Structure formats: C-alpha cells, structure tokens
Amino acid sequence: MPVPLRQNLRIAAHLAKQRLKGRRYFPFIVEIEPLFACNLSCPGCGKIQHPTEILRKRLSVEDVVQAVEESGTPMVSIAGGEPLLHPEIDKIVAALVERKVYVYLCTNAILLHRRLQRFTPSRYFSFVVHLDGLKERHDQAVDRQGVFEKAVEAIREAKAAGFRVTTNSTFFNTDSPKTIRDLLDFLNDELEVDAMMISPAYAYEKAPDQEHFLPVEQTRQLFKEAFAGKRRKWRLNHSPLFLDFLEGKVDLDCTPWGIPSYSVLGWQRPCYLMADGYAKTYRELVETTDWSKYGRGKDPRCDNCMAHCGYEPSAVLATMGSLRQSLRAVVSTH
C-alpha cells in the first residue's frame, strides 16, 4: 500500500489529538528547507533566484530538530534547493529518525548514488525523487540532459539497498493525459516505487518560466482524463478526496496552515509557495498570520492554485469528518 499502516495510524492519532485539544491550527506535516542552493536551474522553480548570501546559508541539525519539536509534527518533508548538497543532511535525517519522526527527503537524485551510503534504511525514512515526466519531458523540465536516467538508476539502487522510495511529480500545461499516464505507469509498474505524489504546478513569483502553469479548469480536465479508469491502479500517496479535488468532483477550501514551511529565513507565511514575510518561531507563525486572507477568491495569487500543500490537509480534515470518506480512505490504502 502507498503509506504503511503504522504511519497512517500515527498521523491519524496526531490529528485526532489536536482536534481533541481544540487547536484550530496544527501541522499535518512540516516542510523543512535546510538550504536553497541547488545543482539544477529548473524553469518552473524560483528557489535559486535568491541572492547569493541567502543561497550560502544552511540550517544546522539543531535548527531543524528545534523547529520540528516546537511544531509537534510527526512527519517532515525535507526539500530545498537540493538537500543532498547540505553537508550534514545525513545527520539531520538521523536526528529526526531517532526521534521517530517520519522523514521524506526530496531530491533530484543527481547526487543520490554518491550520498546513499551515508543513510540507513528505516521505516521512518523515505527518499522522494522528483520526476516530472519520462526522459524527454523530465530533462526538459529540469533544463539538463541525462537527469532522468540518473534518477531512474538512483531509484533502482536505493530500492535494492532496502530504502523506501517514493516520487513527486509536478505537471504543467504542456502535459497531456497521456504523458501523465505514461509516467505513472512507468513508476508504478516498471520502477515499482513505493508510492507516488502528484501536483499541478504553482506559479512561483520568482520562477523564470511563468507561461506554463495550469489554471483551475484546465487542471481539472487534465486529471479527469488522465485518471479515467486507471486511478485505483496506481500507488498514489494521496487521500481519495484530494484526487477527487484534482478531477473537479469536489471543491475544497485551502488550508494554508496545514503544511507550514521552515527555512534559513524562518517560518514562511502563509505557505512555502508564497512569501508574505517570515516568523521566528512556529508559535509566532500561527498566532500572527491572518490565515483568512488566503485561498481562492481571497488572494489573486491563490486563484489558480490546486497544490497538495494547501488542499491535501483540507481533504484529510474533510475525510476525518465523514464516516463514509474515512472508510473509503481505509479501503484505498489496501
């Protein structure tokens, strides 16, 4: 199944605990960006557009542990930039795993072969390799030839070494239902990755390419056609309700506080896709951010966003509030 039962139960218990305590805002997962530097210059990403002095900054192991413990999250996504460029990334992962935090390490996999021996397989740890299409499409998306083949080779090596490996794919208006199906079939059936995450691209303000992000109606039509008759076949690491949302079967309000982001600049308001200032602590982020300002119809920057960071938490909350959806989610994990 896409997510191990033990992990699902841990996350469900965490969310139930927050609700019982009457907390309005709490993390589903925290995104940690220990650096913004990267070894790729992807047209759809704006991270390396930061000034040089910012690109040289790194979070320490202590910085990361403190942020995770302060937020109380049971699950972390380590992104960037390229995390494998961080000289202490293996120590960061080990410190979180020691605390029984579930860790997803996102990587373009260029350095994975050289770094793999620094890590130890654990049920709390997964590599997440970014793949936006098959060979030609992915290499075009990252603006470098040969990256797809390196990523595929690294995935095979990591799985052979006993690591859990998932993938993350972002789709643009240059994609078609066929390119999505072809990629997911390859990842699911040929590479046999443990799970796959998908998301329509969000228009980063600093991204060099501003022409190929998906508007809402085009997103819904694209996923509706791509999913037709095949959705249940793939090991998609998403709730059924979020996948319904992508198809336009249901609509959801954004939950911008559900996946907060912590980086070398602090806690980012309101989410990792937008930068309306930073808070020094998680408590400051939660208590001083006007969450009501964000979402479709509230902020023009949100109008075409259907990204998982805002809407997967919404889908999970809606699932928890419905016996039918809860049973459906349980069935989908088996």
Side-chain angles (χ1 to χ4, degrees):
M1 60 184 144
V3 180
L5 178 61
R6 186 193 300 263
Q7 183 175 339
N8 268 331
L9 292 175
R10 170 85 175 278
I11 303 306
H14 166 72
L15 299 179
K17 181 179 179 181
Q18 307 310 308
R19 297 292 289 271
L20 286 173
K21 288 187 174 182
R23 291 176 179 160
R24 186 175 182 184
Y25 306 118
F26 48 86
F28 287 66
I29 179 173
V30 168
E31 175 165 299
I32 302 290
E33 295 175 297
L35 79 174
F36 290 140
C38 191
N39 48 8
L40 288 174
S41 301
C42 302
C45 175
K47 297 298 182 180
I48 64 167
Q49 303 301 317
H50 286 286
T52 302
E53 60 268 23
I54 299 299
L55 293 178
R56 288 175 176 168
K57 289 188 174 183
R58 307 285 186 267
L59 290 177
S60 68
V61 177
E62 292 75 19
D63 291 334
V64 173
V65 169
Q66 181 178 348
V68 170
E69 291 185 342
E70 180 193 8
S71 69
T73 182
M75 188 160 53
V76 165
S77 171
I78 301 178
E82 170 50 52
L84 292 181
L85 289 171
H86 195 295
E88 293 187 305
I89 189 60
D90 53 326
K91 296 179 181 178
I92 290 174
V93 169
L96 296 177
V97 167
E98 183 181 359
R99 290 163 174 78
K100 297 184 179 180
V101 174
Y102 288 96
V103 179
Y104 287 86
L105 174 60
C106 304
T107 175
N108 56 39
I110 291 175
L111 294 173
L112 188 52
H113 170 73
R114 291 161 56 184
R115 302 285 193 268
L116 192 60
Q117 291 185 348
R118 295 186 183 183
F119 300 91
T120 302
S122 167
R123 69 169 182 263
Y124 292 103
F125 178 58
S126 300
F127 285 112
V128 181
V129 178
H130 203 95
L131 285 173
D132 288 342
L134 295 179
K135 182 178 179 181
E136 182 179 351
R137 294 191 68 79
H138 181 67
D139 287 354
Q140 183 180 28
V142 301
D143 199 25
R144 185 184 298 181
Q145 296 297 312
V147 175
F148 177 81
E149 291 180 344
K150 281 189 176 181
V152 168
E153 183 179 348
I155 288 172
R156 295 188 194 280
E157 183 180 2
K159 285 191 63 64
F163 290 94
R164 178 176 169 82
V165 181
T166 67
T167 55
N168 185 23
S169 303
T170 304
F171 299 113
F172 297 80
N173 65 11
T174 50
D175 279 291
S176 68
K178 184 179 186 305
T179 64
I180 294 176
R181 287 196 298 267
D182 287 348
L183 174 64
L184 296 182
D185 281 344
F186 173 76
L187 297 174
N188 193 86
D189 302 336
E190 190 166 334
L191 269 189
E192 297 183 334
V193 299
D194 294 282
M196 298 168 285
M197 293 180 282
I198 59 177
S199 184
Y202 174 81
Y204 283 105
E205 293 179 358
K206 291 186 176 183
D209 180 4
Q210 292 289 323
E211 299 179 4
H212 296 118
F213 296 106
L214 283 159
V216 170
E217 288 307 318
Q218 189 175 348
T219 296
R220 290 169 173 164
Q221 188 62 33
L222 177 65
F223 284 104
K224 180 180 180 181
E225 294 180 22
F227 287 165
K230 300 198 72 170
R231 199 176 100 178
R232 294 192 64 181
K233 169 193 171 185
W234 298 313
R235 291 183 295 278
L236 296 173
N237 190 19
H238 295 288
S239 65
L241 207 55
F242 176 72
L243 299 176
D244 288 348
F245 168 74
L246 289 182
E247 288 192 65
K249 292 180 178 178
V250 299
D251 200 12
L252 299 167
D253 291 327
C254 178
T255 304
W257 45 266
I259 305 181
S261 177
Y262 179 71
S263 72
V264 295
L265 298 176
W267 291 93
Q268 186 170 332
R269 306 179 200 269
C271 65
Y272 84 93
L273 298 174
M274 298 165 63
D276 285 0
Y278 295 84
K280 292 183 179 180
T281 66
Y282 175 73
R283 181 173 180 178
E284 180 187 344
L285 172 77
V286 169
E287 294 182 353
T288 64
T289 303
D290 185 355
W291 302 106
S292 66
K293 295 194 316 184
Y294 301 100
R296 289 205 302 274
K298 299 175 182 178
D299 188 313
R301 296 170 297 175
C302 303
D303 285 348
N304 286 314
C305 180
M306 295 180 68
H308 67 280
C309 63
Y311 291 97
E312 182 72 83
S314 307
V316 172
L317 286 174
T319 297
M320 290 178 63
S322 165
L323 178 59
R324 175 178 173 273
Q325 292 296 340
S326 296
L327 292 173
R328 184 181 175 215
V330 169
V331 171
S332 74
T333 63
H334 292 79

